[in-house]
Amino acid sequence: MHPPGATLFVTFRLADSIPKATIRIYQAKKDWLTAEEGRLKKLRLGGDSPELIAQQERLRQFHREWFKKFEDILDAAKCGPTWLKADEIAAIVADALHWRDGKVYRLDAYCIMSNHVHVVFAPYLTEKDLRPIQTENGLRYESEEPPLDVIMHSLKSWTANQANALLNRSGEFWQHESYDHVVRNDEEFDRIVNYVLQNPVKAGLVNHWQEWRWSWKRE
């Protein structure tokens, strides 16, 4: 579950939009780094131990580097489908993002590209919404306000069904995994929103972000 009250930067993409061989390399490296972090935590090192801090920074750097690699592959759009190029399909996604604005999150910005979507939003889940539930496996929390995984499942399921019907196809539309990042402060928020809006400019599709029909930010 994401931190209550957090603003999130989320990227989700069409199924098979990144080569499987690339995904296998990424997953193997991620698994090793995550396992190493777990090993250090089992040694009961303090949260401020140099070894654990260094490993956590390696993991963060890994995610930054691979996010850029994935973004470059997606912008090149040389692998997998590009269904979001069609205005009718992009409109389904845009409408779904706006429909949830004010209901389950505050929508701040998004950009819909040919095979992936960047979105910045703040789910309405806050600490006061959390209810502690004791289970056999320990304490967990529930809330009437949906967390990120519930929001994304709803968003991706609805848009996939609508898009598949329009495309007269069946099967997986979105890749199951999404990338999400907690926005830490106002400075990072401004940088991320600018990054989202500049995506079609960086890809050479338009000269100014306002020219891209499927970019939007809250005034």
Side-chain angles (χ1 to χ4, degrees):
M1 181 179 290
H2 61 83
T7 297
L8 305 174
F9 169 40
V10 181
T11 298
F12 55 107
R13 61 186 177 87
L14 297 179
D16 298 325
S17 51
I18 292 178
K20 288 182 170 59
T22 303
I23 295 295
R24 285 195 293 269
I25 294 171
Y26 161 78
Q27 194 63 52
K29 291 183 177 180
K30 178 186 175 184
D31 290 348
W32 184 86
L33 286 167
T34 303
E36 182 64 11
E37 182 185 29
R39 184 186 70 81
L40 291 172
K41 286 181 177 178
K42 286 181 179 179
L43 293 176
R44 302 188 184 281
L45 298 172
D48 58 350
S49 71
E51 297 93 336
L52 187 55
I53 290 174
Q55 182 61 24
Q56 289 171 338
E57 177 54 33
R58 280 192 288 270
L59 196 54
R60 284 191 291 269
Q61 182 62 27
F62 166 82
H63 284 299
R64 287 193 291 266
E65 291 174 355
W66 276 89
F67 178 82
K68 184 180 185 307
K69 288 181 183 180
F70 287 157
E71 186 73 1
D72 290 342
I73 292 171
L74 291 170
D75 285 343
K78 293 181 179 179
C79 178
T82 54
W83 292 313
L84 299 175
K85 275 185 177 180
D87 285 345
E88 299 90 342
I89 306 299
I92 289 172
V93 179
D95 289 346
L97 289 169
H98 283 290
W99 186 86
R100 287 161 175 78
D101 185 22
K103 295 181 175 68
V104 296
Y105 55 57
R106 182 201 69 226
L107 182 62
D108 292 307
Y110 67 77
C111 178
I112 303 169
M113 298 291 285
S114 65
N115 56 9
H116 67 290
V117 179
H118 294 305
V119 59
V120 181
F121 59 71
Y124 285 150
L125 177 68
T126 62
E127 286 188 13
K128 67 180 177 60
D129 299 312
L130 297 176
R131 298 188 307 273
I133 305 294
Q134 188 67 46
T135 70
E136 293 181 357
N137 298 321
L139 193 65
R140 65 182 177 86
Y141 291 88
E142 290 186 348
S143 169
E144 292 181 3
E145 294 290 351
L148 176 62
D149 60 339
V150 174
I151 292 172
M152 293 307 299
H153 177 74
S154 169
L155 177 67
K156 291 165 78 174
S157 294
W158 193 88
T159 53
N161 289 334
Q162 296 296 310
N164 276 342
L166 198 59
L167 293 166
N168 195 28
R169 68 178 295 274
S170 60
E172 191 173 19
F173 186 81
W174 298 110
Q175 190 70 28
H176 176 69
E177 301 86 1
S178 300
Y179 168 87
D180 61 88
H181 171 77
V182 175
V183 181
R184 293 169 294 182
N185 51 49
D186 290 344
E187 181 181 356
E188 187 177 49
F189 175 85
D190 292 339
R191 180 177 61 79
I192 288 174
V193 168
N194 184 65
Y195 174 86
V196 168
L197 298 176
Q198 292 298 322
N199 205 201
V201 178
K202 180 170 70 74
L205 300 173
V206 292
N207 292 321
H208 305 284
W209 76 263
Q210 293 92 338
E211 299 170 0
W212 188 248
R213 179 178 179 183
W214 305 112
S215 289
W216 178 89
K217 74 168 181 175
R218 180 177 297 280
E219 294 298 331

